[in-house]
mmCIF file of all heavy atoms in Angstrom:
data_model
loop_
_atom_site.group_PDB
_atom_site.id
_atom_site.type_symbol
_atom_site.label_atom_id
_atom_site.label_comp_id
_atom_site.label_asym_id
_atom_site.label_seq_id
_atom_site.Cartn_x
_atom_site.Cartn_y
_atom_site.Cartn_z
ATOM 1 N N LEU A 106 91.798 105.295 130.273
ATOM 2 C CA LEU A 106 91.073 104.043 130.321
ATOM 3 C C LEU A 106 91.837 102.821 129.716
ATOM 4 O O LEU A 106 91.492 101.723 129.794
ATOM 5 C CB LEU A 106 89.757 104.113 129.509
ATOM 6 C CG LEU A 106 88.731 105.077 130.114
ATOM 7 C CD1 LEU A 106 87.462 105.130 129.247
ATOM 8 C CD2 LEU A 106 88.389 104.691 131.544
ATOM 9 N N ALA A 107 93.112 103.103 129.123
ATOM 10 C CA ALA A 107 93.990 102.063 128.711
ATOM 11 C C ALA A 107 94.484 101.375 129.898
ATOM 12 O O ALA A 107 94.914 101.979 131.001
ATOM 13 C CB ALA A 107 95.165 102.713 127.923
ATOM 14 N N LEU A 108 94.583 100.087 129.875
ATOM 15 C CA LEU A 108 94.859 99.244 131.081
ATOM 16 C C LEU A 108 96.325 99.179 131.412
ATOM 17 O O LEU A 108 96.720 99.206 132.500
ATOM 18 C CB LEU A 108 94.315 97.821 130.894
ATOM 19 C CG LEU A 108 92.837 97.789 130.724
ATOM 20 C CD1 LEU A 108 92.403 96.324 130.560
ATOM 21 C CD2 LEU A 108 92.074 98.240 131.980
ATOM 22 N N GLU A 109 97.206 99.130 130.371
ATOM 23 C CA GLU A 109 98.599 98.971 130.672
ATOM 24 C C GLU A 109 99.411 100.068 129.996
ATOM 25 O O GLU A 109 99.047 100.486 128.929
ATOM 26 C CB GLU A 109 99.080 97.610 130.209
ATOM 27 C CG GLU A 109 98.466 96.483 131.070
ATOM 28 C CD GLU A 109 99.109 95.071 130.762
ATOM 29 O OE1 GLU A 109 100.268 95.071 130.348
ATOM 30 O OE2 GLU A 109 98.393 94.133 130.849
ATOM 31 N N GLU A 110 100.568 100.476 130.557
ATOM 32 C CA GLU A 110 101.346 101.504 130.054
ATOM 33 C C GLU A 110 101.881 101.076 128.706
ATOM 34 O O GLU A 110 101.963 101.908 127.812
ATOM 35 C CB GLU A 110 102.551 101.750 131.088
ATOM 36 C CG GLU A 110 103.225 103.031 130.699
ATOM 37 C CD GLU A 110 104.274 103.431 131.759
ATOM 38 O OE1 GLU A 110 103.904 103.482 132.901
ATOM 39 O OE2 GLU A 110 105.426 103.694 131.380
ATOM 40 N N GLU A 111 102.252 99.820 128.544
ATOM 41 C CA GLU A 111 102.778 99.378 127.226
ATOM 42 C C GLU A 111 101.692 99.536 126.163
ATOM 43 O O GLU A 111 101.981 99.917 125.013
ATOM 44 C CB GLU A 111 103.276 97.879 127.336
ATOM 45 C CG GLU A 111 103.973 97.359 126.084
ATOM 46 C CD GLU A 111 104.434 96.031 126.288
ATOM 47 O OE1 GLU A 111 105.122 95.727 127.351
ATOM 48 O OE2 GLU A 111 104.284 95.130 125.351
ATOM 49 N N ASP A 112 100.543 99.149 126.502
ATOM 50 C CA ASP A 112 99.398 99.234 125.581
ATOM 51 C C ASP A 112 99.204 100.754 125.197
ATOM 52 O O ASP A 112 98.949 101.022 124.030
ATOM 53 C CB ASP A 112 98.163 98.693 126.091
ATOM 54 C CG ASP A 112 98.212 97.274 126.266
ATOM 55 O OD1 ASP A 112 98.948 96.591 125.675
ATOM 56 O OD2 ASP A 112 97.388 96.734 127.052
ATOM 57 N N THR A 113 99.287 101.625 126.174
ATOM 58 C CA THR A 113 99.093 103.026 125.903
ATOM 59 C C THR A 113 100.237 103.528 124.986
ATOM 60 O O THR A 113 99.923 104.335 124.028
ATOM 61 C CB THR A 113 99.168 103.823 127.241
ATOM 62 O OG1 THR A 113 98.059 103.336 128.022
ATOM 63 C CG2 THR A 113 98.950 105.304 127.001
ATOM 64 N N ALA A 114 101.483 103.035 125.239
ATOM 65 C CA ALA A 114 102.607 103.524 124.431
ATOM 66 C C ALA A 114 102.434 103.070 122.958
ATOM 67 O O ALA A 114 102.686 103.792 121.969
ATOM 68 C CB ALA A 114 103.840 103.005 124.932
ATOM 69 N N PHE A 115 102.049 101.792 122.824
ATOM 70 C CA PHE A 115 101.767 101.282 121.444
ATOM 71 C C PHE A 115 100.615 102.062 120.775
ATOM 72 O O PHE A 115 100.791 102.461 119.646
ATOM 73 C CB PHE A 115 101.313 99.837 121.531
ATOM 74 C CG PHE A 115 100.646 99.292 120.203
ATOM 75 C CD1 PHE A 115 101.544 98.921 119.200
ATOM 76 C CD2 PHE A 115 99.305 99.291 120.136
ATOM 77 C CE1 PHE A 115 100.950 98.467 118.009
ATOM 78 C CE2 PHE A 115 98.765 98.874 118.834
ATOM 79 C CZ PHE A 115 99.518 98.540 117.869
ATOM 80 N N PHE A 116 99.548 102.279 121.496
ATOM 81 C CA PHE A 116 98.455 103.055 120.990
ATOM 82 C C PHE A 116 98.868 104.419 120.493
ATOM 83 O O PHE A 116 98.429 104.836 119.400
ATOM 84 C CB PHE A 116 97.279 103.051 121.915
ATOM 85 C CG PHE A 116 96.084 103.699 121.356
ATOM 86 C CD1 PHE A 116 95.316 102.977 120.406
ATOM 87 C CD2 PHE A 116 95.599 104.924 121.804
ATOM 88 C CE1 PHE A 116 94.197 103.679 119.847
ATOM 89 C CE2 PHE A 116 94.508 105.533 121.323
ATOM 90 C CZ PHE A 116 93.727 104.851 120.297
ATOM 91 N N MET A 117 99.572 105.147 121.294
ATOM 92 C CA MET A 117 99.966 106.471 120.974
ATOM 93 C C MET A 117 100.868 106.442 119.737
ATOM 94 O O MET A 117 100.868 107.394 118.879
ATOM 95 C CB MET A 117 100.584 107.142 122.236
ATOM 96 C CG MET A 117 99.655 107.405 123.336
ATOM 97 S SD MET A 117 98.096 108.111 122.908
ATOM 98 C CE MET A 117 98.574 109.723 122.332
ATOM 99 N N ASP A 118 101.785 105.547 119.624
ATOM 100 C CA ASP A 118 102.664 105.414 118.499
ATOM 101 C C ASP A 118 101.876 105.140 117.266
ATOM 102 O O ASP A 118 102.142 105.684 116.217
ATOM 103 C CB ASP A 118 103.802 104.360 118.799
ATOM 104 C CG ASP A 118 104.832 104.287 117.734
ATOM 105 O OD1 ASP A 118 105.149 105.335 117.132
ATOM 106 O OD2 ASP A 118 105.457 103.263 117.516
ATOM 107 N N PHE A 119 100.963 104.216 117.469
ATOM 108 C CA PHE A 119 100.021 103.925 116.329
ATOM 109 C C PHE A 119 99.295 105.200 115.833
ATOM 110 O O PHE A 119 99.183 105.414 114.651
ATOM 111 C CB PHE A 119 99.070 102.808 116.828
ATOM 112 C CG PHE A 119 98.107 102.344 115.773
ATOM 113 C CD1 PHE A 119 98.558 101.563 114.669
ATOM 114 C CD2 PHE A 119 96.816 102.703 115.773
ATOM 115 C CE1 PHE A 119 97.674 101.089 113.705
ATOM 116 C CE2 PHE A 119 95.905 102.248 114.841
ATOM 117 C CZ PHE A 119 96.284 101.444 113.782
ATOM 118 N N LEU A 120 98.683 105.907 116.792
ATOM 119 C CA LEU A 120 97.979 107.146 116.361
ATOM 120 C C LEU A 120 98.885 108.160 115.756
ATOM 121 O O LEU A 120 98.476 108.781 114.719
ATOM 122 C CB LEU A 120 97.321 107.714 117.690
ATOM 123 C CG LEU A 120 95.982 107.261 118.089
ATOM 124 C CD1 LEU A 120 95.537 107.947 119.351
ATOM 125 C CD2 LEU A 120 94.966 107.365 117.008
ATOM 126 N N GLN A 121 100.037 108.327 116.320
ATOM 127 C CA GLN A 121 100.995 109.300 115.772
ATOM 128 C C GLN A 121 101.322 108.935 114.272
ATOM 129 O O GLN A 121 101.342 109.731 113.491
ATOM 130 C CB GLN A 121 102.171 109.426 116.564
ATOM 131 C CG GLN A 121 103.179 110.448 116.109
ATOM 132 C CD GLN A 121 104.413 110.495 117.111
ATOM 133 O OE1 GLN A 121 104.538 109.862 118.108
ATOM 134 N NE2 GLN A 121 105.271 111.470 116.809
ATOM 135 N N THR A 122 101.529 107.611 114.031
ATOM 136 C CA THR A 122 101.915 107.211 112.723
ATOM 137 C C THR A 122 100.724 107.354 111.764
ATOM 138 O O THR A 122 100.911 107.776 110.665
ATOM 139 C CB THR A 122 102.398 105.746 112.765
ATOM 140 O OG1 THR A 122 103.588 105.652 113.692
ATOM 141 C CG2 THR A 122 102.898 105.337 111.382
ATOM 142 N N LEU A 123 99.551 107.100 112.295
ATOM 143 C CA LEU A 123 98.444 107.332 111.375
ATOM 144 C C LEU A 123 98.189 108.733 111.036
ATOM 145 O O LEU A 123 97.787 109.096 109.873
ATOM 146 C CB LEU A 123 97.074 106.847 112.170
ATOM 147 C CG LEU A 123 96.752 105.399 112.116
ATOM 148 C CD1 LEU A 123 95.513 105.052 112.837
ATOM 149 C CD2 LEU A 123 96.517 104.929 110.654
ATOM 150 N N LEU A 124 98.455 109.586 111.948
ATOM 151 C CA LEU A 124 98.316 111.013 111.717
ATOM 152 C C LEU A 124 99.345 111.679 110.843
ATOM 153 O O LEU A 124 99.008 112.557 109.980
ATOM 154 C CB LEU A 124 98.223 111.835 113.050
ATOM 155 C CG LEU A 124 96.852 111.708 113.789
ATOM 156 C CD1 LEU A 124 97.050 112.285 115.174
ATOM 157 C CD2 LEU A 124 95.733 112.241 113.074
ATOM 158 N N VAL A 125 100.564 111.323 111.038
ATOM 159 C CA VAL A 125 101.638 112.024 110.341
ATOM 160 C C VAL A 125 102.594 111.190 109.565
ATOM 161 O O VAL A 125 103.520 111.667 108.838
ATOM 162 C CB VAL A 125 102.466 112.965 111.312
ATOM 163 C CG1 VAL A 125 101.598 114.014 111.940
ATOM 164 C CG2 VAL A 125 103.105 112.188 112.386
ATOM 165 N N GLY A 126 102.433 109.839 109.619
ATOM 166 C CA GLY A 126 103.329 108.950 108.900
ATOM 167 C C GLY A 126 102.629 108.463 107.598
ATOM 168 O O GLY A 126 101.709 108.967 107.158
ATOM 169 N N ASP A 127 103.300 107.526 107.026
ATOM 170 C CA ASP A 127 102.693 106.862 105.826
ATOM 171 C C ASP A 127 102.328 105.406 106.157
ATOM 172 O O ASP A 127 102.821 104.882 107.196
ATOM 173 C CB ASP A 127 103.664 106.914 104.669
ATOM 174 C CG ASP A 127 104.947 106.211 104.793
ATOM 175 O OD1 ASP A 127 104.887 105.015 105.152
ATOM 176 O OD2 ASP A 127 105.988 106.857 104.635
ATOM 177 N N PRO A 128 101.509 104.764 105.407
ATOM 178 C CA PRO A 128 101.112 103.410 105.724
ATOM 179 C C PRO A 128 102.137 102.489 106.026
ATOM 180 O O PRO A 128 102.074 101.623 106.897
ATOM 181 C CB PRO A 128 100.266 103.038 104.487
ATOM 182 C CG PRO A 128 99.752 104.285 103.918
ATOM 183 C CD PRO A 128 100.830 105.250 104.146
ATOM 184 N N GLU A 129 103.321 102.574 105.196
ATOM 185 C CA GLU A 129 104.361 101.600 105.403
ATOM 186 C C GLU A 129 105.119 101.750 106.852
ATOM 187 O O GLU A 129 105.525 100.791 107.269
ATOM 188 C CB GLU A 129 105.427 101.698 104.257
ATOM 189 C CG GLU A 129 104.850 101.040 103.015
ATOM 190 C CD GLU A 129 104.331 99.614 103.183
ATOM 191 O OE1 GLU A 129 105.087 98.782 103.768
ATOM 192 O OE2 GLU A 129 103.288 99.334 102.692
ATOM 193 N N GLU A 130 104.981 102.918 107.314
ATOM 194 C CA GLU A 130 105.616 103.197 108.713
ATOM 195 C C GLU A 130 104.817 102.432 109.762
ATOM 196 O O GLU A 130 105.348 102.133 110.782
ATOM 197 C CB GLU A 130 105.644 104.719 108.996
ATOM 198 C CG GLU A 130 106.675 105.418 108.194
ATOM 199 C CD GLU A 130 106.726 106.893 108.444
ATOM 200 O OE1 GLU A 130 105.814 107.600 107.985
ATOM 201 O OE2 GLU A 130 107.599 107.301 109.298
ATOM 202 N N LEU A 131 103.535 102.227 109.433
ATOM 203 C CA LEU A 131 102.732 101.393 110.531
ATOM 204 C C LEU A 131 103.383 100.038 110.637
ATOM 205 O O LEU A 131 103.421 99.449 111.770
ATOM 206 C CB LEU A 131 101.291 101.297 110.009
ATOM 207 C CG LEU A 131 100.444 102.567 110.127
ATOM 208 C CD1 LEU A 131 99.083 102.323 109.425
ATOM 209 C CD2 LEU A 131 100.217 102.866 111.569
ATOM 210 N N TYR A 132 103.783 99.488 109.530
ATOM 211 C CA TYR A 132 104.153 98.129 109.442
ATOM 212 C C TYR A 132 105.680 97.946 109.843
ATOM 213 O O TYR A 132 105.989 96.845 110.448
ATOM 214 C CB TYR A 132 103.989 97.444 108.082
ATOM 215 C CG TYR A 132 102.565 97.624 107.593
ATOM 216 C CD1 TYR A 132 102.274 98.392 106.399
ATOM 217 C CD2 TYR A 132 101.528 97.164 108.261
ATOM 218 C CE1 TYR A 132 101.043 98.617 106.026
ATOM 219 C CE2 TYR A 132 100.202 97.429 107.875
ATOM 220 C CZ TYR A 132 99.957 98.133 106.769
ATOM 221 O OH TYR A 132 98.662 98.386 106.421
ATOM 222 N N SER A 133 106.430 99.001 109.708
ATOM 223 C CA SER A 133 107.783 98.896 110.182
ATOM 224 C C SER A 133 108.009 99.427 111.612
ATOM 225 O O SER A 133 108.895 99.288 112.283
ATOM 226 C CB SER A 133 108.713 99.734 109.284
ATOM 227 O OG SER A 133 108.412 101.048 109.341
ATOM 228 N N GLY A 134 106.898 100.125 112.102
ATOM 229 C CA GLY A 134 106.861 100.643 113.385
ATOM 230 C C GLY A 134 105.997 99.911 114.441
ATOM 231 O O GLY A 134 106.270 98.782 114.796
ATOM 232 N N PRO A 135 104.887 100.492 114.810
ATOM 233 C CA PRO A 135 104.030 99.966 115.780
ATOM 234 C C PRO A 135 103.532 98.623 115.564
ATOM 235 O O PRO A 135 103.268 97.845 116.400
ATOM 236 C CB PRO A 135 102.869 100.963 116.025
ATOM 237 C CG PRO A 135 102.978 101.923 114.808
ATOM 238 C CD PRO A 135 104.260 101.850 114.332
#
């Protein structure tokens, strides 16, 4: 249901960082 591939890539990177990263990785990454 994600509209654009770039949005999907961002969202998946965001989810991956939430699941296995630390909060600071959110701000330096996605």
